[in-house]
Amino acid sequence: MAYYIIKRLLLMIPTLFGMMLMTFVIIQFAPGGPVEQIIAKLQGHGSASGALGGGGGEVQQQASADAASGTYRGSQGIDPELVAKLNKQYGFDRPAPERFVKMLYSYITFDFGSSFFKHGTVVQLIYESLPVSMTLGLWTLFLSYGISIPLGIRKAVNHGTRFDVWSSTAVIVGHAIPGFLFAVLFIILFAGGNYWNILPRKGLGSENWDQLSLIGKVLDYLWHIILPITAMALSGFASTTFLTKNSFLDEISKQYVITARAKGLNEFQVLYGHVFRNAMLLIISGFPAAFFGALVEGALLIENTFSLNGLGRLSYEAIIGRDYPIIFASLYIFGLIGLLLSLISDLIYTAVDPRIDFESREV
């Protein structure tokens, strides 16, 4: 197993390199880079102080003064000297290959720099946003697994019945609808859209949070997460439900189940005393990857819809604002985490079922 782990860890290096290289190349051709964003601020709003929030220094002071005096507005354009200083400040005066190599070297040493447009380092911004996304991911996974696994078992037991057919239809329809559409529908129905106004539409706490008791804070928190968690979980039932059903169907047809029934065991003892452990191998091994998916992927639009300051919203704002340090650092960090969780899933698989031997296979 040690050889397999080392081999997987070594394979992460070219995987991360390829991922960062492709993203870096695509970004080079994307219009509206950081300098263009600052110029747009100067021309459209008359002040670059907000756009240069993470930059600071002499260039910011000059840009703010020039914009305030009206020198660089509209058709008058931007002074080429100021543009050159902006390019130098953000490192765009150097060739792309040199910038890519420098970025990789910094990331190897876990130096992710500072945001272009937000005050603070990239690590600090991610750290501040992480609790919100972890909350969404954990609750979504808990709700999804808590419903999908019992539902999948019942579908397996009642395979081919009317219940199996209509529940499959409902699960597939729910899976086909993106989570953010559920979020919009919930806001319209329950958060003061066009009908009822019984649930909050943004944030994870009320304005009087500091004045609430401990029990009041817990209830207020649960009250705020109902809509985002439900919206995220509804579109994630399908894969776990059908995986559970198919795993149970495969195990139920095996000889040891027939033998257990012949010994006089009831259906509950057969399902949960014998079938459950074997059928849940794939579900258990996929838990780390499922949590990572709920943490990073599912929250992107949900966090924006409900105004939650998590990783999804941070990444979305960075992409829209061309905040390259946050974009590349987020990709690197979560790409590395995803690869490590994939390895952990394999290790969990071997721990649950010792018959699995990845070391004897090609990676």
Side-chain angles (χ1 to χ4, degrees), residues 187-220:
I187 290 175
I188 293 174
L189 292 177
F190 306 113
N194 294 327
Y195 295 92
W196 303 281
N197 187 15
I198 57 178
L199 291 169
R201 64 181 301 174
K202 63 180 181 179
L204 291 179
S206 300
E207 294 181 359
N208 62 336
W209 171 268
D210 294 333
Q211 285 74 43
L212 297 175
S213 63
L214 178 59
I215 297 178
K217 289 181 178 179
V218 172
L219 294 177
D220 185 69

Short mmCIF file of all heavy atoms in Angstrom, two decimals, residues 187-220:
data_model
loop_
_atom_site.label_atom_id
_atom_site.label_comp_id
_atom_site.label_asym_id
_atom_site.label_seq_id
_atom_site.Cartn_x
_atom_site.Cartn_y
_atom_site.Cartn_z
N ILE A 187 -37.13 31.49 -2.88
CA ILE A 187 -37.20 32.91 -2.54
C ILE A 187 -38.55 33.49 -2.96
O ILE A 187 -39.19 34.25 -2.23
CB ILE A 187 -36.04 33.68 -3.20
CG1 ILE A 187 -34.71 33.31 -2.53
CG2 ILE A 187 -36.27 35.19 -3.12
CD1 ILE A 187 -33.50 33.93 -3.18
N ILE A 188 -39.00 33.10 -4.15
CA ILE A 188 -40.30 33.59 -4.64
C ILE A 188 -41.44 33.11 -3.74
O ILE A 188 -42.35 33.86 -3.42
CB ILE A 188 -40.53 33.11 -6.09
CG1 ILE A 188 -39.52 33.79 -7.02
CG2 ILE A 188 -41.96 33.42 -6.54
CD1 ILE A 188 -39.57 33.28 -8.45
N LEU A 189 -41.35 31.85 -3.30
CA LEU A 189 -42.46 31.27 -2.54
C LEU A 189 -42.41 31.61 -1.05
O LEU A 189 -43.44 31.93 -0.45
CB LEU A 189 -42.45 29.74 -2.71
CG LEU A 189 -42.80 29.20 -4.09
CD1 LEU A 189 -42.68 27.68 -4.10
CD2 LEU A 189 -44.19 29.62 -4.52
N PHE A 190 -41.21 31.54 -0.45
CA PHE A 190 -41.13 31.58 1.01
C PHE A 190 -40.35 32.75 1.59
O PHE A 190 -40.34 32.92 2.81
CB PHE A 190 -40.50 30.28 1.53
CG PHE A 190 -41.18 29.03 1.04
CD1 PHE A 190 -40.53 28.16 0.19
CD2 PHE A 190 -42.48 28.74 1.43
CE1 PHE A 190 -41.14 27.00 -0.26
CE2 PHE A 190 -43.11 27.59 0.99
CZ PHE A 190 -42.45 26.71 0.14
N ALA A 191 -39.66 33.53 0.77
CA ALA A 191 -38.78 34.57 1.31
C ALA A 191 -39.17 35.96 0.83
O ALA A 191 -38.31 36.81 0.56
CB ALA A 191 -37.33 34.27 0.95
N GLY A 192 -40.46 36.21 0.72
CA GLY A 192 -40.92 37.55 0.40
C GLY A 192 -40.90 37.89 -1.06
O GLY A 192 -40.94 39.08 -1.41
N GLY A 193 -40.81 36.87 -1.94
CA GLY A 193 -40.83 37.14 -3.37
C GLY A 193 -42.19 37.62 -3.83
O GLY A 193 -42.45 38.82 -3.96
N ASN A 194 -43.10 36.66 -4.06
CA ASN A 194 -44.45 37.00 -4.48
C ASN A 194 -45.52 36.40 -3.57
O ASN A 194 -46.70 36.73 -3.70
CB ASN A 194 -44.71 36.53 -5.92
CG ASN A 194 -43.87 37.28 -6.93
OD1 ASN A 194 -43.59 38.46 -6.74
ND2 ASN A 194 -43.46 36.60 -7.99
N TYR A 195 -45.11 35.52 -2.66
CA TYR A 195 -46.11 34.83 -1.86
C TYR A 195 -45.83 35.05 -0.37
O TYR A 195 -46.08 36.10 0.17
CB TYR A 195 -46.12 33.34 -2.22
CG TYR A 195 -46.57 33.10 -3.64
CD1 TYR A 195 -45.65 33.03 -4.69
CD2 TYR A 195 -47.93 32.97 -3.95
CE1 TYR A 195 -46.06 32.82 -6.00
CE2 TYR A 195 -48.35 32.76 -5.26
CZ TYR A 195 -47.40 32.69 -6.28
OH TYR A 195 -47.82 32.49 -7.57
N TRP A 196 -45.28 34.05 0.32
CA TRP A 196 -45.09 34.16 1.77
C TRP A 196 -43.72 34.76 2.10
O TRP A 196 -42.77 34.63 1.34
CB TRP A 196 -45.23 32.78 2.41
CG TRP A 196 -46.54 32.13 2.13
CD1 TRP A 196 -47.74 32.39 2.72
CD2 TRP A 196 -46.78 31.11 1.16
NE1 TRP A 196 -48.72 31.60 2.18
CE2 TRP A 196 -48.17 30.80 1.23
CE3 TRP A 196 -45.99 30.44 0.24
CZ2 TRP A 196 -48.76 29.84 0.41
CZ3 TRP A 196 -46.57 29.49 -0.58
CH2 TRP A 196 -47.94 29.20 -0.49
N ASN A 197 -43.65 35.36 3.26
CA ASN A 197 -42.39 35.92 3.75
C ASN A 197 -42.12 35.34 5.13
O ASN A 197 -42.16 36.03 6.15
CB ASN A 197 -42.46 37.44 3.81
CG ASN A 197 -41.12 38.07 4.15
OD1 ASN A 197 -40.07 37.43 4.07
ND2 ASN A 197 -41.14 39.34 4.56
N ILE A 198 -41.83 34.02 5.14
CA ILE A 198 -41.68 33.31 6.41
C ILE A 198 -40.26 32.86 6.68
O ILE A 198 -39.94 32.43 7.78
CB ILE A 198 -42.62 32.09 6.46
CG1 ILE A 198 -42.35 31.16 5.26
CG2 ILE A 198 -44.08 32.53 6.46
CD1 ILE A 198 -43.20 29.90 5.26
N LEU A 199 -39.38 32.96 5.69
CA LEU A 199 -37.99 32.54 5.87
C LEU A 199 -37.06 33.63 5.34
O LEU A 199 -37.41 34.34 4.39
CB LEU A 199 -37.73 31.22 5.12
CG LEU A 199 -38.41 29.97 5.69
CD1 LEU A 199 -38.28 28.81 4.72
CD2 LEU A 199 -37.83 29.60 7.05
N PRO A 200 -35.87 33.78 5.94
CA PRO A 200 -34.93 34.82 5.49
C PRO A 200 -34.35 34.48 4.13
O PRO A 200 -34.17 33.31 3.78
CB PRO A 200 -33.85 34.81 6.58
CG PRO A 200 -33.93 33.45 7.17
CD PRO A 200 -35.36 33.03 7.09
N ARG A 201 -34.01 35.50 3.38
CA ARG A 201 -33.49 35.29 2.03
C ARG A 201 -31.99 35.51 1.92
O ARG A 201 -31.41 35.29 0.85
CB ARG A 201 -34.21 36.21 1.05
CG ARG A 201 -34.00 37.69 1.28
CD ARG A 201 -34.78 38.52 0.28
NE ARG A 201 -34.40 38.22 -1.09
CZ ARG A 201 -35.02 38.73 -2.16
NH1 ARG A 201 -36.06 39.51 -1.99
NH2 ARG A 201 -34.60 38.45 -3.37
N LYS A 202 -31.33 35.97 2.99
CA LYS A 202 -29.89 36.17 2.89
C LYS A 202 -29.25 36.08 4.27
O LYS A 202 -29.89 36.30 5.30
CB LYS A 202 -29.55 37.52 2.24
CG LYS A 202 -30.02 38.72 3.02
CD LYS A 202 -29.64 40.00 2.30
CE LYS A 202 -30.08 41.24 3.06
NZ LYS A 202 -29.68 42.48 2.38
N GLY A 203 -27.96 35.77 4.26
CA GLY A 203 -27.19 35.71 5.49
C GLY A 203 -27.42 34.44 6.30
O GLY A 203 -28.30 33.64 6.00
N LEU A 204 -26.60 34.28 7.34
CA LEU A 204 -26.72 33.15 8.26
C LEU A 204 -27.09 33.60 9.67
O LEU A 204 -27.02 32.80 10.61
CB LEU A 204 -25.41 32.35 8.30
CG LEU A 204 -25.05 31.57 7.05
CD1 LEU A 204 -23.72 30.86 7.23
CD2 LEU A 204 -26.13 30.58 6.68
N GLY A 205 -27.48 34.85 9.82
CA GLY A 205 -27.87 35.34 11.14
C GLY A 205 -28.67 36.63 11.01
O GLY A 205 -28.52 37.37 10.03
N SER A 206 -29.50 36.89 11.98
CA SER A 206 -30.31 38.09 11.98
C SER A 206 -29.49 39.29 12.45
O SER A 206 -28.37 39.15 12.97
CB SER A 206 -31.53 37.91 12.89
OG SER A 206 -32.33 36.82 12.46
N GLU A 207 -30.06 40.49 12.29
CA GLU A 207 -29.35 41.71 12.68
C GLU A 207 -29.15 41.80 14.19
O GLU A 207 -28.20 42.41 14.66
CB GLU A 207 -30.13 42.93 12.18
CG GLU A 207 -30.17 43.03 10.66
CD GLU A 207 -30.93 44.26 10.19
OE1 GLU A 207 -31.43 45.00 11.08
OE2 GLU A 207 -31.01 44.48 8.98
N ASN A 208 -30.04 41.18 14.94
CA ASN A 208 -29.93 41.21 16.40
C ASN A 208 -29.23 39.98 16.96
O ASN A 208 -29.49 39.54 18.08
CB ASN A 208 -31.31 41.34 17.03
CG ASN A 208 -32.21 40.15 16.71
OD1 ASN A 208 -31.99 39.48 15.71
ND2 ASN A 208 -33.19 39.89 17.56
N TRP A 209 -28.32 39.39 16.18
CA TRP A 209 -27.63 38.16 16.55
C TRP A 209 -26.91 38.30 17.89
O TRP A 209 -26.96 37.40 18.73
CB TRP A 209 -26.63 37.80 15.45
CG TRP A 209 -25.71 36.67 15.78
CD1 TRP A 209 -24.47 36.76 16.33
CD2 TRP A 209 -25.96 35.27 15.59
NE1 TRP A 209 -23.92 35.51 16.49
CE2 TRP A 209 -24.81 34.58 16.04
CE3 TRP A 209 -27.02 34.54 15.09
CZ2 TRP A 209 -24.71 33.20 16.00
CZ3 TRP A 209 -26.92 33.16 15.04
CH2 TRP A 209 -25.78 32.50 15.49
N ASP A 210 -26.25 39.42 18.12
CA ASP A 210 -25.47 39.60 19.34
C ASP A 210 -26.34 39.66 20.59
O ASP A 210 -25.87 39.38 21.70
CB ASP A 210 -24.63 40.88 19.24
CG ASP A 210 -23.56 40.79 18.17
OD1 ASP A 210 -23.13 39.65 17.88
OD2 ASP A 210 -23.17 41.84 17.63
N GLN A 211 -27.59 40.03 20.44
CA GLN A 211 -28.48 40.14 21.59
C GLN A 211 -29.21 38.83 21.91
O GLN A 211 -29.90 38.74 22.94
CB GLN A 211 -29.55 41.23 21.35
CG GLN A 211 -29.03 42.65 21.46
CD GLN A 211 -28.19 43.08 20.29
OE1 GLN A 211 -28.55 42.80 19.15
NE2 GLN A 211 -27.07 43.77 20.55
N LEU A 212 -29.06 37.82 21.04
CA LEU A 212 -29.78 36.56 21.25
C LEU A 212 -29.07 35.68 22.26
O LEU A 212 -27.84 35.75 22.42
CB LEU A 212 -29.91 35.81 19.92
CG LEU A 212 -30.73 36.49 18.81
CD1 LEU A 212 -30.65 35.67 17.53
CD2 LEU A 212 -32.18 36.66 19.25
N SER A 213 -29.83 34.83 22.94
CA SER A 213 -29.24 33.83 23.83
C SER A 213 -28.62 32.71 23.01
O SER A 213 -28.75 32.67 21.78
CB SER A 213 -30.33 33.25 24.75
OG SER A 213 -31.32 32.57 23.97
N LEU A 214 -27.95 31.77 23.69
CA LEU A 214 -27.31 30.67 22.97
C LEU A 214 -28.34 29.84 22.20
O LEU A 214 -28.14 29.54 21.02
CB LEU A 214 -26.56 29.77 23.96
CG LEU A 214 -25.87 28.54 23.36
CD1 LEU A 214 -24.85 28.96 22.31
CD2 LEU A 214 -25.22 27.70 24.45
N ILE A 215 -29.44 29.51 22.85
CA ILE A 215 -30.49 28.75 22.16
C ILE A 215 -31.10 29.58 21.04
O ILE A 215 -31.38 29.07 19.95
CB ILE A 215 -31.58 28.32 23.18
CG1 ILE A 215 -30.99 27.38 24.23
CG2 ILE A 215 -32.76 27.67 22.45
CD1 ILE A 215 -31.98 26.95 25.29
N GLY A 216 -31.25 30.88 21.30
CA GLY A 216 -31.78 31.75 20.26
C GLY A 216 -30.88 31.83 19.05
O GLY A 216 -31.35 31.86 17.91
N LYS A 217 -29.56 31.84 19.27
CA LYS A 217 -28.61 31.87 18.15
C LYS A 217 -28.67 30.58 17.33
O LYS A 217 -28.61 30.62 16.10
CB LYS A 217 -27.19 32.09 18.67
CG LYS A 217 -26.94 33.50 19.20
CD LYS A 217 -25.51 33.67 19.67
CE LYS A 217 -25.27 35.09 20.15
NZ LYS A 217 -23.88 35.30 20.64
N VAL A 218 -28.79 29.45 18.04
CA VAL A 218 -28.89 28.16 17.33
C VAL A 218 -30.15 28.11 16.47
O VAL A 218 -30.11 27.73 15.29
CB VAL A 218 -28.87 26.99 18.34
CG1 VAL A 218 -29.18 25.67 17.63
CG2 VAL A 218 -27.53 26.92 19.05
N LEU A 219 -31.27 28.53 17.05
CA LEU A 219 -32.54 28.51 16.31
C LEU A 219 -32.51 29.50 15.15
O LEU A 219 -33.02 29.21 14.06
CB LEU A 219 -33.70 28.83 17.26
CG LEU A 219 -33.98 27.79 18.35
CD1 LEU A 219 -35.11 28.27 19.26
CD2 LEU A 219 -34.34 26.43 17.74
N ASP A 220 -31.91 30.66 15.39
CA ASP A 220 -31.82 31.66 14.32
C ASP A 220 -30.94 31.15 13.17
O ASP A 220 -31.26 31.36 11.99
CB ASP A 220 -31.24 32.96 14.88
CG ASP A 220 -31.23 34.08 13.87
OD1 ASP A 220 -32.31 34.56 13.50
OD2 ASP A 220 -30.12 34.46 13.44
#
